[in-house]
Amino acid sequence: MASSGCGWWWARWAAALIAALAMAALARAAEPVAPNLSVQGWIERLHEATRARAYSGTFVVTRGDDVVSARVVHACDGQRQVERIENLSGPARVTWRLDDEVLTLWPQQQTVLRERRETLRLFPGPVKVPGVKVDEHYRAELRGRERVAGLEAWVVEFVPRDGWRYGYRLWSELRTGLALKMQTLGAGQQVLEQMAYTEVQLDAPLKVEGLLRQMEDTRGWRTLRPQRVKTNPQALGWRWVSSVPGFQLVGCWQREAEAGRGRPPLQCVVSDGLASVSLFLGGGEPPHANPRASGAMQVRAGKLGEHAVLAIGEVPAATLERLLAGVERAQP
């Protein structure tokens, strides 16, 4: 009898062990596998996460001693994306985005600015620039997993291949790919700037139609519609030669002149697929004559004859100076 009881106990123990091993195997099978992606692959993953998902949350942006927070809601119906970002610190401002249409509202002034932007970035996350070979100038290195805003995320670093650009560290939510946090890294891995969610709700009960009704409810507000004409440097007597590896011309625009004011400067955006720089050519005296920096943002200005030139972007100061050096005046 004792022998029979021992055998029964052993059989139950063995069955329990087999069940535990099976459950562990199933858990391992369900565990997300670390993506083996290029930089371009990671950017696609981050942007794909916004195309079919509704979410909301609060994020904080840190630039040096400057800290600001904002509330974001985002909805998508598979075709259209609508997003609302409300500043929670500093002057009251709300920014709406419907695909490439952007509305900026200043509630205290009851004023809304309507414009279109062809180059947009995620909040938080990188800009996406079609046609730029970003992997030639950065490499992706997976740094493991961490929790951000209560969610597990892959940590990936975009390491620059030269000194002309900053590095980036991103936290991409494990299953959806949503960007939860982003750091801009300077020399010695110094964090120059950071954007991160403090709380976020994935698959929030938000509908595009409901957000669009809110977006268009600006009755009684003063509406500004600055017209921007797409052009090229040559058409306005300028030449720009890329003097920094990887940076390509994305597009150029000029606003219509306002009554009583001179002709606005030509704005050209150049990018390497992650970092973007705006070059302002012409338009009289540059607004910032002295070198300036705020977090990762740098400003450099100069003159070509009678014409002001200005460069603003999240790149090292030497990069801005060299990009400006590539500007020439083709006509007096």
Side-chain angles (χ1 to χ4, degrees), residues 16 32 54 150 160 240 270 277:
W240 180 76
V270 300
V277 173

Side-chain angles (χ1 to χ4, degrees), residues 225-229 253-259 261-264:
R225 299 176 184 268
Q227 299 299 312
R228 295 200 314 167
V229 178
W253 303 267
Q254 188 174 48
R255 295 186 185 275
E256 290 186 347
E258 299 180 19
R261 296 189 178 184
R263 192 170 182 83

